[in-house]
Amino acid sequence: MLITFVALYMMVSVAVGLYAARKVHSSADYVVAGRSLPLYITMATVFATWFGSETVLGISSTFIDEGLGGIIADPFGAGMCLILVGLLFAKPLYRMKLLTISDFYKRKYGRPTELAVSIFICVSYLGWVSAQIVALGLVFNIITDGGLSQEWGMVLGLAIVLFYTFFGGMFSVAMTDFMQMTIILIGMGIVAFFVSGKIDGGATAVIDHAIAAEKFSNFFPEMSLASILAFVAAWVTMGFGSIPQQDVFQRVMSAKDEKTAVRGSVLGGSFYIVFAFVPIFLGYAATMLDPETSAKLMEEDSQQILPTMILTHTPIWVQVMFFGALLSAIMSTASGTLLAPSVVFAENIVKSLLPNMTDKKLLHLIRGTVVGFSGLVLLYAFNSERDIFSMVEDAYKVTLAGAFVPLAAGVYWKRANTAGATLSILFGVGTWLLMEKFSPEGEGICPPQLAGLLAATIGMIVGGYFGKPGNSAQQHVPPEQQAETLH
């Protein structure tokens, strides 16, 4: 019955995605859904940006291992990112009518900066999308009781997500996100209520047990420089590093107006932080329901604790609700993160090499890139030995070091200029790479990505004061291209 349900669910997801694809008539439709999404869909798709495999499987297992101090980056940093995007960046970027986040760097700083940032963005998505595909393979392997290997499960999951994303782009992503968010909320809520009933004392007993085990006592760092810097780095890696990302930008810019973009981002981010504690609760409850199995899985793969508990301690209808919600979470994130780097690669790396490209050909190019990037993701996923949470967290280090400062300064600092952006990228990425090589995270006082952020800030300040004054964000775009972008 569980396998039958999963098959039916996949068919419905594909059908919804293909139905939404009927609205795609141009590259703007494909990339930002024609800037037409109402608040409830904008909020749903922003929420779905983060609520994926790392939230259900990664965060819950990391909390079991490390407590609250281990999950600062996600959900706290990730949720903060969405809130900051809404409060500080949604309005000014929405008014620019950009197609991609890299278009901002082109308008403000020129082609070289656009190219560098676009490469960083595309590279950063390999780990993130791969984490979702690894999770899909894990889920298919579990629900088929090993009948489908994790590798073939990854192939199947990617093929399904690729199919509806290829045809419908952001319209399909938005519509399936809304459907999947609904299933997540209902499914996870029912499962949490049922699991609470199986433990003496209910949810209160689970929380009290976690408090007694000191899972909540290590949120704030020790009063040492290394601990404080590690704490700050955990916040800003996803909190700042994921702001200059195409999938976040794409979801916010798909809103019908700037007010909807702001509200959708803030509400989606706030709700994400709150609801992320549902799978955390379920994961910790699993260790109380079956401590022997949980202890064994802690040594082998703690990511399997929650799904194993569901399969062994709940009736079939609860299993259906849980795995339906889990698949919804993974697929909603996977579709958006598969589309985002493909759009940046086609629009900001390839298109400039083909100046006479029509909008129809650009649409074909983006779709072709979606297929090509899917192949890279699968290859990366097959060869990665990192856990889901680490794969997601590591994805933002390069954009934190190389893209955040030029974006923030470009929006809010009048002295931001091309020289500053160039030095910021060179200082930030160079420092990060050197420290990753000679002083990996956990071995030095300052985490490499945080040192990269500080170096990037210094580079921007130096360039801003000693380079040529910067002009408006329109300086590098001819009038006819501005008109085309607005259209």
Side-chain angles (χ1 to χ4, degrees):
M1 181 177 175
L2 182 57
I3 296 174
T4 301
F5 167 79
V6 170
L8 289 173
Y9 175 72
M10 293 296 177
M11 292 172 63
V12 171
S13 295
V14 170
V16 171
L18 292 180
Y19 177 80
R22 300 182 311 153
K23 297 183 178 182
V24 176
H25 304 293
S26 67
S27 60
D29 291 337
Y30 193 82
V31 176
V32 289
R35 296 187 178 90
S36 62
L37 302 183
L39 177 60
Y40 67 96
I41 294 184
T42 301
M43 177 185 170
T45 196
V46 167
F47 170 84
T49 305
W50 298 134
F51 205 95
S53 61
E54 69 281 2
T55 311
V56 182
L57 301 178
I59 293 177
S60 60
S61 62
T62 303
F63 178 81
I64 295 170
D65 289 335
E66 305 175 28
L68 204 61
I71 60 171
I72 293 170
D74 193 4
F76 298 107
M80 182 182 74
C81 157
L82 299 176
I83 294 171
L84 290 177
V85 167
L87 294 177
L88 301 178
F89 295 97
K91 186 176 291 186
L93 292 180
Y94 192 93
R95 290 176 178 176
M96 294 177 69
K97 302 297 181 184
L98 306 169
L99 193 63
T100 71
I101 187 66
S102 294
D103 287 343
F104 172 84
Y105 297 91
K106 181 179 181 179
R107 291 198 191 180
K108 182 66 180 178
Y109 304 117
R111 172 63 177 166
T113 304
E114 172 202 22
L115 184 60
V117 171
S118 298
I119 292 172
F120 297 155
I121 290 174
C122 290
V123 169
S124 72
Y125 275 98
L126 271 177
W128 193 9
V129 187
S130 296
Q132 312 311 314
I133 303 308
V134 168
L136 281 174
L138 177 64
V139 172
F140 285 137
N141 177 256
I142 290 173
I143 62 179
T144 59
D145 196 22
L148 187 68
S149 69
Q150 183 167 352
E151 289 74 18
W152 278 109
M154 290 159 60
V155 173
L156 176 61
L158 179 60
I160 294 169
V161 173
L162 170 62
F163 188 71
Y164 68 76
T165 305
F166 175 86
F167 288 103
M170 194 59 203
F171 267 122
S172 290
V173 170
M175 293 303 104
T176 52
D177 277 356
F178 179 70
M179 178 191 76
Q180 289 157 351
M181 178 184 171
T182 303
I183 294 173
I184 290 169
L185 299 181
I186 296 174
M188 285 289 178
I190 292 174
V191 172
F193 181 79
F194 180 87
V195 170
S196 297
K198 292 183 69 69
I199 297 175
D200 292 337
T204 302
V206 177
I207 296 171
D208 290 342
H209 192 283
I211 293 174
E214 299 184 344
K215 295 298 180 182
F216 292 100
S217 62
N218 65 339
F219 180 79
F220 294 104
E222 299 175 359
M223 290 297 103
S224 67
L225 180 60
S227 297
I228 293 173
L229 290 177
F231 179 78
V232 174
W235 274 96
V236 302
T237 297
M238 291 186 72
F240 290 176
S242 49
I243 288 177
Q245 286 285 14
Q246 175 62 17
D247 68 307
V248 176
F249 170 87
Q250 214 164 295
R251 284 170 152 98
V252 175
M253 296 303 114
S254 296
K256 66 179 183 179
D257 53 48
E258 64 183 53
K259 184 181 293 185
T260 301
V262 172
R263 291 177 177 176
S265 185
V266 173
L267 290 173
S270 301
F271 191 63
Y272 171 74
I273 294 175
V274 174
F275 200 77
F277 279 90
V278 175
I280 291 173
F281 167 82
L282 290 173
Y284 196 82
T287 65
M288 297 174 63
L289 279 176
D290 195 342
E292 185 176 339
T293 301
S294 298
K296 182 180 178 182
L297 289 174
M298 285 279 288
E299 298 178 358
E300 298 174 0
D301 184 2
S302 58
Q303 295 171 148
Q304 295 197 35
I305 291 177
L306 178 53
T308 300
M309 181 271 287
I310 295 295
L311 285 174
T312 55
H313 291 279
T314 63
I316 187 65
W317 67 269
V318 175
Q319 295 174 27
V320 167
M321 297 301 295
F322 173 79
F323 284 103
L326 177 56
L327 287 170
S328 295
I330 298 171
M331 291 173 65
S332 62
T333 301
S335 57
T337 52
L338 185 62
L339 177 63
S342 304
V343 171
V344 170
F345 181 84
E347 169 71 16
N348 301 104
I349 296 178
V350 178
K351 184 182 176 183
S352 294
L353 303 176
L354 304 169
N356 297 321
M357 179 178 290
T358 64
D359 188 74
K360 186 176 182 179
K361 289 182 178 179
L362 175 61
L363 184 56
H364 292 327
L365 175 63
I366 296 173
R367 283 175 165 155
T369 307
V370 169
V371 177
F373 191 76
S374 298
L376 290 177
V377 165
L378 195 60
L379 183 65
Y380 186 92
F382 277 152
N383 291 281
S384 178
E385 296 180 356
R386 300 182 67 82
D387 61 74
I388 292 170
F389 187 83
S390 298
M391 290 171 72
V392 171
E393 186 178 9
D394 287 349
Y396 305 106
K397 293 179 180 179
V398 62
T399 47
L400 175 67
F404 172 72
V405 172
L407 174 64
V411 173
Y412 285 104
W413 195 40
K414 292 182 179 180
R415 287 185 175 270
N417 56 20
T418 301
T422 302
L423 290 178
S424 180
I425 292 171
L426 291 174
F427 285 13
V429 175
T431 301
W432 169 63
L433 289 176
L434 285 173
M435 289 195 65
E436 283 283 359
K437 182 175 178 62
F438 297 108
S439 181
E441 189 171 358
E443 296 183 11
I445 294 178
C446 184
Q449 70 272 25
L450 184 58
L453 175 64
L454 295 175
T457 303
I458 293 172
M460 176 58 74
I461 293 173
V462 171
Y465 277 102
F466 293 100
K468 292 182 179 180
N471 297 320
S472 71
Q474 306 286 342
Q475 61 180 326
H476 293 286
V477 185
E480 61 272 14
Q481 188 172 340
Q482 292 180 28
E484 180 183 348
T485 304
L486 287 170
H487 175 71

